[in-house]
Amino acid sequence: MDNFQHPTHQPVGKKVAILGGNRIPFARSNGQYSNVSNSEMLTAALNGLVERYNLQDKRLGEVVAGAVIKLSRDINLTRECVLSTALSPQTPAYDVSQACGTGLQAAFAVSNKIALGLIDSGIAGGVDTTSDAPLGIGDGLRKALLKLNNAKTNKDRLQALLSINPKDLIDAPQNGEPRTKLSMGDHQAITALEWAITREAQDEFTFNSHKNLARAYDEGFFDDLITPFKGLTRDNNLRPDISLEKLASLKPVFGKKNANPTMTAGNSTPLTDGASCVLLGTDEWAAANGLKPLAYLTYQETAAVDFTGKKGVKEGLLMAPAYAVPRMLERAGLTLQDFDYYEIHEAFASQVLSTLAAWEDESFCKERLGLDKPLGAIDRSKLNVNGSSLAAGHPFAATGGRILASTAKLLDQKGSGRALISICAAGGQGVVAILEK
């Protein structure tokens, strides 16, 4: 195994190169992709990657992807999608799922095998649609149908049918944490109050996300990162003409029972459909296939917080990245200021701002993180420089691939440097990584 010599404390192992990425434009739910399945979207993203990097008939080490919201027909989703592409059918594939961290976690799964020398190449990805969300039969109806199936006599069959309650016909998906029944937005509204995140700061952050994404599209940054799909060439949540006045006019939609609700549909990420994928490999595999590394995935960390207060101090649902990043920085021998770019997933404007505030707060860093001093502030001009989820949208499992590919390209354009990636996820989890060039 060749050692990756680096000024930081880089683990020994194969270097893991990010060689490229592809996604379809993201679309607001119940819109352009309302009749499109997870399988169709992920296959389209994979096909675009295969075509762009001439992967036809190639047997890769593996393909790992997943979806947060899956129908029963999505069983073995990633493998079925691989079989619908021009990749060699001998390329193995499997699914993973970790809420909004799924896409980045899929990349970890592939990169870890590459680092260990088990495979030399792979694709990581993710897909989600809330337009095609599953509707299960209600538990009462399910039990009645089981009784009907096991009935031996007509009397037993009749009793089974009569036991059906119309209220039990459908088990609709719930938009909330199973343990608290609160939506992610309502959870974050509590955190926004705890950190005194103002409405004005959230709207300004949102405004910048749209303006940065629009500029990046106009500059052609996404030309080799996106495959047009179903008539879309850009994310249709993007509002190039957005204004602070328009954002200020929107009414709060989360935390409306709180004293000072600040979170609106504008400064929160909308439900979105889409898919993304990223090509990973060793330097040797890249050279053999005529590809160049854009950047290297060097560090990773996954954390979780006690958002229910089960074992002590209750933490905000989406604050796990605030804990994951300092752990990763310690292993890497870096400070929070040692980065050229910061790519922080914008689940809500207030989530990003709460995390940044926590890193600057002395008591949080000492009492919660066990540090001697605050991690400190970052240079905001380096944060989400080409926009992020507030503008592009957030198809849960697809966000990691979008961020990973875009960040790698940023570092490649710069020619050198380091980037921090951070993604919060449902269940009080956070997934973070470091890319280096």
Side-chain angles (χ1 to χ4, degrees):
M1 302 176 76
D2 60 331
N3 293 336
F4 183 15
Q5 299 299 326
H6 199 276
T8 60
H9 305 145
Q10 173 63 34
V12 174
K14 288 282 186 178
K15 294 167 62 176
V16 181
I18 299 168
L19 306 174
N22 188 61
R23 66 180 178 93
I24 59 174
F26 292 171
R28 291 177 73 99
S29 289
N30 301 310
Q32 204 81 5
Y33 301 161
S34 59
N35 295 314
V36 183
S37 67
N38 275 336
S39 178
E40 290 174 278
M41 289 192 293
L42 182 56
T43 298
L46 288 169
N47 273 327
L49 189 78
V50 169
E51 183 175 346
R52 181 171 295 129
Y53 295 101
N54 298 314
L55 302 176
Q56 297 88 346
D57 299 320
K58 293 189 182 297
R59 177 175 63 84
L60 303 188
E62 65 182 17
V63 178
V64 183
V68 177
I69 301 176
K70 298 175 71 172
L71 282 77
S72 57
R73 66 169 179 259
D74 289 333
I75 187 171
N76 216 13
L77 172 68
T78 307
R79 171 59 176 164
E80 291 300 323
C81 290
V82 166
L83 291 174
S84 296
T85 72
L87 285 171
S88 166
Q90 294 180 327
T91 299
Y94 65 91
D95 294 5
V96 298
S97 183
Q98 194 188 33
C100 309
T102 297
L104 191 51
Q105 203 64 254
F108 294 169
V110 174
S111 67
N112 288 346
K113 284 190 178 180
I114 292 174
L116 288 170
L118 300 176
I119 59 176
D120 59 9
S121 60
I123 296 173
V127 60
D128 259 302
T129 170
T130 46
S131 299
D132 191 30
L135 288 177
I137 62 172
D139 201 47
L141 176 58
R142 181 183 64 83
K143 291 178 178 179
L145 292 175
L146 288 173
K147 289 180 181 178
L148 180 63
N149 184 63
N150 295 324
K152 302 299 183 183
T153 66
N154 287 335
K155 180 180 179 181
D156 291 340
R157 296 185 183 96
L158 180 60
Q159 286 180 336
L161 290 171
L162 291 174
S163 70
I164 296 175
N165 187 327
K167 295 181 181 179
D168 297 330
L169 294 180
I170 294 177
D171 182 15
Q174 299 297 311
N175 181 26
E177 287 290 327
R179 295 180 180 277
T180 65
K181 309 305 179 186
L182 291 177
S183 70
M184 188 177 289
D186 285 326
H187 266 288
Q188 179 52 38
I190 297 170
T191 303
L193 278 176
E194 290 175 348
W195 287 103
I197 307 300
T198 67
R199 168 71 181 271
E200 291 75 19
Q202 294 174 57
D203 287 350
E204 181 179 2
F205 190 85
T206 302
F207 174 83
N208 289 333
S209 183
H210 282 269
K211 287 300 182 183
N212 287 341
L213 185 66
R215 187 208 71 253
Y217 266 113
D218 292 343
E219 292 175 349
F221 180 83
F222 296 107
D223 288 353
D224 59 354
L225 292 174
I226 291 181
T227 298
F229 186 63
K230 300 295 181 181
L232 284 185
T233 58
R234 293 188 175 193
D235 311 304
N236 71 1
N237 183 63
L238 174 61
R239 300 291 181 264
D241 59 348
I242 196 169
S243 69
L244 289 172
E245 291 75 19
K246 175 61 177 177
L247 286 168
S249 71
L250 301 177
K251 295 181 179 180
V253 294
F254 298 113
K256 290 188 287 186
K257 295 181 180 179
N258 298 342
N260 181 30
T262 60
M263 293 173 56
T264 69
N267 56 41
S268 305
T269 305
L271 294 175
T272 317
D273 306 333
S276 69
C277 53
V278 178
L279 178 63
L280 305 165
T282 63
D283 283 340
E284 296 81 3
W285 187 88
N289 287 276
L291 302 174
K292 71 164 188 172
L294 302 178
Y296 295 92
L297 177 56
T298 55
Y299 287 91
Q300 58 179 267
E301 184 78 26
T302 304
V305 294
D306 182 4
F307 68 97
T308 65
K310 183 178 180 181
K311 293 290 184 180
V313 179
K314 183 190 294 187
E315 184 55 271
L317 176 73
L318 302 181
M319 290 297 286
Y323 293 78
V325 165
R327 295 177 194 170
M328 182 173 65
L329 292 177
E330 183 179 9
R331 284 193 292 108
L334 297 170
T335 72
L336 186 59
Q337 290 70 40
D338 290 334
F339 294 89
D340 299 277
Y341 300 106
Y342 302 85
E343 290 290 325
I344 303 180
H345 162 49
E346 301 167 348
F348 306 92
S350 64
Q351 188 279 327
V352 180
L353 296 171
S354 295
T355 300
L356 295 178
W359 288 336
E360 296 177 27
D361 187 78
E362 184 173 6
S363 61
F364 177 87
C365 289
K366 286 186 175 181
E367 296 169 13
R368 302 287 180 95
L369 303 182
L371 303 176
D372 294 332
K373 60 181 181 179
L375 289 171
I378 68 168
D379 182 345
R380 297 287 184 94
S381 70
K382 299 177 180 179
L383 173 61
N384 296 351
V385 296
N386 285 336
S388 193
S389 308
L390 285 167
H394 172 40
F396 309 126
T399 288
R402 174 188 68 77
I403 292 177
L404 197 57
S406 294
T407 307
K409 182 174 179 178
L410 277 172
L411 287 174
D412 182 59
Q413 285 184 335
K414 187 176 183 300
S416 63
R418 187 182 289 118
L420 174 69
I421 292 174
S422 172
I423 298 178
C424 61
Q429 301 179 99
V431 189
V432 301
I434 294 174
L435 301 191
E436 299 183 71
K437 174 73 174 179

